[in-house]
Amino acid sequence: MEERMQLSASFEQLVKQKESVIAAQLVQLGKVAATLNSKRDQALPKVKNDIERLLKKLGMPYAQFEVVLTSTETYHQFGNTEILFLFSANKGGALQEVDKVASGGELSRLMLAIKYITAQSSKINTLVFDEIDTGVSGEIASLMGDMMLEISKTNQLIAISHLPQIASKANTHLKVVKTVKNNNTISDVVVLNKEERIEEIAKLLSGKKLTKAAFDNAVELLNQ
């Protein structure tokens, strides 16, 4: 009871002490957030130029990319700043929020461009792309494969894909095989040899019915 009475008597003083600690922490937090925003301001022009340059290589000559920073009164995981990513794929098109304007193929290429840039400065040794090539095909898929191959020179890259243009670029080709045993589905990962790889890429090109043209095309893709 005596301890509770002492706590009650000194309650206002304890509150003032805590408020003083919080005020000091807010000052420190503000300084750190200002430093973070300053570094962002310095980095963003280069990021913008690099992403737009890569998007041009991926078949989007008029693509525009912009990052807009807006200060807020509150703090969160990104400091005291709201971050908007704006994008336009077409000549003369107005910049809008990425999730409102980018198609599936455009978003895939934008994500790859961002990952390509961050991989150069990231300390992460392994990247996993789960169908980052969604919505693209043909020449664009081949260009994306070249960019993934470039990333793999400095980072281990695991790419899940159903496109022959992407699969043919890999140093190692793995196939996920599912079988049913005793009413249970078992998934296995198989490393394909050269002949098996040609057959798998031919299947991606022509479907279940394999043709000589598909095999020839698969060999040509692997030799590129």
Side-chain angles (χ1 to χ4, degrees), residues 15 34 46 78 100 106 116 120 124 131 161 173 191 202:
V15 170
K46 185 176 186 308
F78 302 118
K100 294 180 179 179
E106 291 165 353
Y116 181 86
Q120 295 174 347
I124 297 174
E131 296 191 47
S161 176
H173 192 155
V191 181

mmCIF file of all heavy atoms in Angstrom, residues 15 34 46 78 100 106 116 120 124 131 161 173 191 202:
data_model
loop_
_atom_site.group_PDB
_atom_site.id
_atom_site.type_symbol
_atom_site.label_atom_id
_atom_site.label_comp_id
_atom_site.label_asym_id
_atom_site.label_seq_id
_atom_site.Cartn_x
_atom_site.Cartn_y
_atom_site.Cartn_z
ATOM 1 N N VAL A 15 4.955 11.102 -15.395
ATOM 2 C CA VAL A 15 4.390 11.406 -16.704
ATOM 3 C C VAL A 15 5.231 12.463 -17.414
ATOM 4 O O VAL A 15 5.521 12.352 -18.607
ATOM 5 C CB VAL A 15 2.929 11.880 -16.569
ATOM 6 C CG1 VAL A 15 2.421 12.438 -17.898
ATOM 7 C CG2 VAL A 15 2.041 10.723 -16.133
ATOM 8 N N ALA A 34 14.879 13.148 -41.771
ATOM 9 C CA ALA A 34 15.381 14.180 -42.685
ATOM 10 C C ALA A 34 16.592 13.672 -43.466
ATOM 11 O O ALA A 34 16.732 13.937 -44.671
ATOM 12 C CB ALA A 34 15.737 15.440 -41.895
ATOM 13 N N LYS A 46 18.748 9.486 -60.512
ATOM 14 C CA LYS A 46 19.466 8.388 -61.172
ATOM 15 C C LYS A 46 18.569 7.158 -61.311
ATOM 16 O O LYS A 46 18.589 6.475 -62.348
ATOM 17 C CB LYS A 46 20.725 8.028 -60.389
ATOM 18 C CG LYS A 46 21.586 6.977 -61.089
ATOM 19 C CD LYS A 46 22.862 6.715 -60.324
ATOM 20 C CE LYS A 46 23.797 5.780 -61.094
ATOM 21 N NZ LYS A 46 23.180 4.528 -61.545
ATOM 22 N N PHE A 78 8.236 3.983 -43.332
ATOM 23 C CA PHE A 78 9.008 4.680 -44.353
ATOM 24 C C PHE A 78 9.425 6.072 -43.897
ATOM 25 O O PHE A 78 9.706 6.942 -44.715
ATOM 26 C CB PHE A 78 8.201 4.783 -45.649
ATOM 27 C CG PHE A 78 7.775 3.445 -46.191
ATOM 28 C CD1 PHE A 78 6.441 3.131 -46.326
ATOM 29 C CD2 PHE A 78 8.720 2.483 -46.546
ATOM 30 C CE1 PHE A 78 6.045 1.894 -46.811
ATOM 31 C CE2 PHE A 78 8.342 1.250 -47.031
ATOM 32 C CZ PHE A 78 6.991 0.951 -47.167
ATOM 33 N N LYS A 100 -2.782 1.615 -61.059
ATOM 34 C CA LYS A 100 -3.992 2.060 -61.756
ATOM 35 C C LYS A 100 -3.826 2.082 -63.269
ATOM 36 O O LYS A 100 -4.820 2.121 -63.991
ATOM 37 C CB LYS A 100 -4.393 3.450 -61.265
ATOM 38 C CG LYS A 100 -4.817 3.496 -59.806
ATOM 39 C CD LYS A 100 -5.203 4.908 -59.392
ATOM 40 C CE LYS A 100 -5.644 4.952 -57.934
ATOM 41 N NZ LYS A 100 -5.992 6.329 -57.503
ATOM 42 N N GLU A 106 3.358 -4.673 -68.807
ATOM 43 C CA GLU A 106 4.096 -3.462 -68.434
ATOM 44 C C GLU A 106 4.595 -3.561 -67.005
ATOM 45 O O GLU A 106 5.740 -3.191 -66.704
ATOM 46 C CB GLU A 106 3.194 -2.236 -68.606
ATOM 47 C CG GLU A 106 2.870 -1.924 -70.055
ATOM 48 C CD GLU A 106 1.715 -0.956 -70.207
ATOM 49 O OE1 GLU A 106 1.063 -0.623 -69.193
ATOM 50 O OE2 GLU A 106 1.449 -0.515 -71.345
ATOM 51 N N TYR A 116 16.536 -5.362 -61.402
ATOM 52 C CA TYR A 116 17.862 -5.310 -62.038
ATOM 53 C C TYR A 116 18.725 -4.242 -61.364
ATOM 54 O O TYR A 116 19.908 -4.471 -61.075
ATOM 55 C CB TYR A 116 17.701 -4.997 -63.522
ATOM 56 C CG TYR A 116 19.003 -4.938 -64.289
ATOM 57 C CD1 TYR A 116 19.574 -6.091 -64.815
ATOM 58 C CD2 TYR A 116 19.662 -3.737 -64.484
ATOM 59 C CE1 TYR A 116 20.760 -6.046 -65.523
ATOM 60 C CE2 TYR A 116 20.859 -3.677 -65.185
ATOM 61 C CZ TYR A 116 21.400 -4.833 -65.704
ATOM 62 O OH TYR A 116 22.591 -4.780 -66.381
ATOM 63 N N GLN A 120 22.105 -4.782 -58.140
ATOM 64 C CA GLN A 120 23.478 -4.309 -58.257
ATOM 65 C C GLN A 120 24.022 -3.755 -56.939
ATOM 66 O O GLN A 120 25.234 -3.731 -56.733
ATOM 67 C CB GLN A 120 23.549 -3.235 -59.348
ATOM 68 C CG GLN A 120 23.220 -3.767 -60.736
ATOM 69 C CD GLN A 120 23.160 -2.670 -61.779
ATOM 70 O OE1 GLN A 120 23.119 -1.487 -61.454
ATOM 71 N NE2 GLN A 120 23.162 -3.047 -63.048
ATOM 72 N N ILE A 124 21.713 -9.073 -50.882
ATOM 73 C CA ILE A 124 21.023 -10.355 -51.005
ATOM 74 C C ILE A 124 21.709 -11.182 -52.094
ATOM 75 O O ILE A 124 21.925 -10.705 -53.202
ATOM 76 C CB ILE A 124 19.535 -10.144 -51.350
ATOM 77 C CG1 ILE A 124 18.843 -9.383 -50.219
ATOM 78 C CG2 ILE A 124 18.837 -11.480 -51.595
ATOM 79 C CD1 ILE A 124 17.413 -9.008 -50.523
ATOM 80 N N GLU A 131 7.364 -16.045 -61.942
ATOM 81 C CA GLU A 131 6.650 -15.638 -63.158
ATOM 82 C C GLU A 131 6.641 -14.120 -63.314
ATOM 83 O O GLU A 131 5.601 -13.502 -63.558
ATOM 84 C CB GLU A 131 5.227 -16.199 -63.145
ATOM 85 C CG GLU A 131 5.206 -17.733 -63.176
ATOM 86 C CD GLU A 131 3.834 -18.312 -63.430
ATOM 87 O OE1 GLU A 131 3.157 -17.835 -64.361
ATOM 88 O OE2 GLU A 131 3.440 -19.255 -62.714
ATOM 89 N N SER A 161 9.155 -19.938 -64.574
ATOM 90 C CA SER A 161 8.639 -19.413 -65.838
ATOM 91 C C SER A 161 8.029 -20.518 -66.673
ATOM 92 O O SER A 161 8.385 -21.698 -66.544
ATOM 93 C CB SER A 161 9.769 -18.742 -66.632
ATOM 94 O OG SER A 161 9.312 -18.301 -67.888
ATOM 95 N N HIS A 173 18.456 -26.035 -65.780
ATOM 96 C CA HIS A 173 17.013 -26.107 -66.006
ATOM 97 C C HIS A 173 16.421 -27.157 -65.071
ATOM 98 O O HIS A 173 16.748 -28.331 -65.144
ATOM 99 C CB HIS A 173 16.755 -26.489 -67.473
ATOM 100 C CG HIS A 173 15.338 -26.313 -67.891
ATOM 101 N ND1 HIS A 173 14.956 -26.101 -69.201
ATOM 102 C CD2 HIS A 173 14.172 -26.313 -67.183
ATOM 103 C CE1 HIS A 173 13.643 -25.976 -69.276
ATOM 104 N NE2 HIS A 173 13.155 -26.120 -68.059
ATOM 105 N N VAL A 191 16.504 -32.202 -62.255
ATOM 106 C CA VAL A 191 17.472 -31.467 -63.057
ATOM 107 C C VAL A 191 17.514 -32.092 -64.448
ATOM 108 O O VAL A 191 17.791 -33.290 -64.589
ATOM 109 C CB VAL A 191 18.876 -31.506 -62.417
ATOM 110 C CG1 VAL A 191 19.867 -30.704 -63.269
ATOM 111 C CG2 VAL A 191 18.831 -30.950 -60.997
ATOM 112 N N ALA A 202 10.698 -27.669 -76.180
ATOM 113 C CA ALA A 202 9.833 -27.959 -77.329
ATOM 114 C C ALA A 202 8.375 -28.063 -76.894
ATOM 115 O O ALA A 202 7.468 -27.598 -77.600
ATOM 116 C CB ALA A 202 10.286 -29.255 -78.011
#
